[in-house]
Amino acid sequence: SAKKLGRNCFQFYESSMNEEAQERLRIESALRNALEREQFVLHYQPQLDLASGRIVGVEALLRWQHPELGTVPPQRFIGLAEETGLIVPIGAWVMRTACAQARKWHDAGLAPLRMAVNLSPRQFAQPDLVASIAAVLEETGLPPAALELELTEGLFVDDVAQAVALLHELKALGVALSIDDFGTGYSSLSYLRTFPIDVLKIDRSFVGRIDDDADQAAIVVSIIALAHNLHLKVIAEGVETAGQLAFLRAHDCDQAQGYYLSRPVPAAEFRELWPAEQTVA
Ligand code: C2E
Ligand code: MG
Ligand code: MG
Ligand code: MG
């Protein structure tokens, strides 16, 4: 009967919720120990300057190497880390590790390589954010201009005045600021002229369709024009084909990042990717 079916559906729903809750608990408690057990690692994805063909930057991307779960991608734990606040110590580890790595690469002649680090909303809300970034720059000796902080549009919807003040404090350190996943967030475009931002990163959902979808291509062309009119640089994310790269170059996009150029790789592999002729003696 329908009633019986309904009850079975409910039970199924309940038990799958239960499994989901258990999975969350399991990941949360494992996440609590992951820093101590040194299970986090950063991979680095190159960013190519389209006019010169040179690698000008890398984005640091977090990976969790769990002994049983294997390599856990950020989508499976960043949200939970955010909710539980664990993103704060994890993010601090990311910042220190990425800046120390960039400094090592500079010392080895991979200069002036820029390091992009993702900042989550919870990190952005920490009262000591600016001081903690200043401390990492001091400690590692990385020139501030070599650090780029990737922010998302979601940060700008709550208290705009407070966000603007914080961005100015960050800019005063000498670091660059970018808007990640641009075009996917729910926010007003007016922030673009009020906020001291340097770079827009076009979300890969637009870039992935520029070959076969005229509307998506029009959006990408418009974002590039918007960025340039506001004197911002623009990076296309998620470039997977030669055609996409050619399109972006033809439309004056500044930089590109994506599997077609390179997947995110461990530090040692990135070192090998670096062209010898780009090394500063
Ligand atoms: P994101 O910052 O937008 O990073 C770009 C994501 O796109 C990365 O996924 C990258 O591996 C992936 N990607 C790059 N090129 C391509 C491509 O050509 N095709 C496709 N399909 N994907 C491409 P990943 O590493 O899984 O990271 C996912 C998200 O997790 C990041 O998105 C970022 O929001 C977050 N995340 C990663 N590392 C950190 C971190 O250290 N801190 C914080 N707060 N968030 C992080
Ligand atoms: Mg990013
Ligand atoms: Mg992105
Ligand atoms: Mg993203």
Side-chain angles (χ1 to χ4, degrees):
S1 72
K3 196 176 169 193
K4 192 173 169 207
L5 192 68
R7 196 179 322 118
N8 285 343
C9 282
F10 177 69
Q11 279 170 352
F12 173 73
Y13 178 71
E14 198 176 46
S15 79
S16 73
M17 280 306 281
N18 220 348
E19 268 166 41
E20 218 177 279
Q22 276 172 10
E23 161 90 352
R24 277 171 59 95
L25 275 178
R26 209 159 61 102
I27 294 189
E28 187 187 327
S29 76
L31 204 49
R32 284 190 191 283
N33 298 313
L35 269 178
E36 270 170 51
R37 297 182 185 163
E38 299 180 31
Q39 292 172 349
F40 289 115
V41 65
L42 293 179
H43 284 186
Y44 300 92
Q45 188 176 38
Q47 300 174 325
L48 202 77
D49 180 79
L50 293 181
S52 67
R54 288 176 160 236
I55 300 173
V56 288
V58 280
E59 178 175 2
L61 293 158
L62 185 60
R63 302 289 179 261
W64 180 14
Q65 288 170 334
H66 188 275
E68 285 120 49
L69 300 171
T71 301
V72 187
Q75 282 93 336
R76 278 190 58 203
F77 66 90
I78 292 276
L80 199 57
E82 183 78 16
E83 279 171 43
T84 54
L86 288 167
I87 193 65
V88 174
I90 296 170
W93 178 87
V94 170
M95 190 64 69
R96 277 198 314 277
T97 306
C99 290
Q101 183 61 68
R103 176 59 208 254
K104 271 192 226 160
W105 279 331
H106 281 196
D107 289 346
L110 282 64
L113 183 70
R114 200 191 50 224
M115 175 64 69
V117 175
N118 291 284
L119 271 195
S120 77
R122 187 86 171 235
Q123 288 174 275
F124 195 73
Q126 290 300 301
D128 68 343
L129 175 72
V130 177
S132 71
I133 293 172
V136 170
L137 290 169
E138 172 84 33
E139 185 187 302
T140 57
L142 184 68
L147 177 63
E148 182 175 300
L149 305 175
E150 297 196 0
L151 313 165
T152 49
E153 291 169 279
L155 296 177
F156 310 142
V157 290
D158 286 347
D159 188 338
V160 174
Q162 201 188 332
V164 174
L166 187 50
L167 293 181
H168 279 289
E169 278 185 61
L170 289 169
K171 281 301 295 176
L173 292 178
V175 304
L177 302 177
S178 67
I179 305 295
D180 204 352
D181 307 335
F182 182 74
T184 60
Y186 181 76
S187 67
S188 154
L189 283 181
S190 64
Y191 75 82
L192 287 179
R193 58 182 172 77
T194 340
F195 287 19
I197 285 156
D198 306 284
V199 179
L200 292 187
K201 297 192 73 179
I202 308 176
D203 191 69
R204 67 165 194 264
S205 60
F206 301 114
V207 176
R209 310 279 315 271
I210 52 182
D211 290 333
D212 62 3
D213 184 327
D215 292 338
Q216 302 283 24
I219 289 174
V220 168
V221 172
S222 305
I223 296 175
I224 295 169
L226 173 69
H228 287 166
N229 286 331
L230 294 169
H231 310 289
L232 307 176
K233 284 214 182 306
V234 57
I235 304 184
E237 301 192 288
V239 178
E240 292 185 348
T241 68
Q244 289 162 4
L245 190 66
F247 180 97
L248 292 161
R249 192 175 267 133
H251 288 89
D252 233 9
C253 185
D254 300 294
Q255 293 170 24
Q257 187 182 340
Y259 293 170
Y260 178 70
L261 301 162
S262 168
R263 290 192 170 252
V265 293
E269 264 177 65
F270 178 75
R271 182 71 187 81
E272 282 162 27
L273 270 178
W274 185 267
E277 70 275 13
Q278 236 184 279
T279 303
V280 180

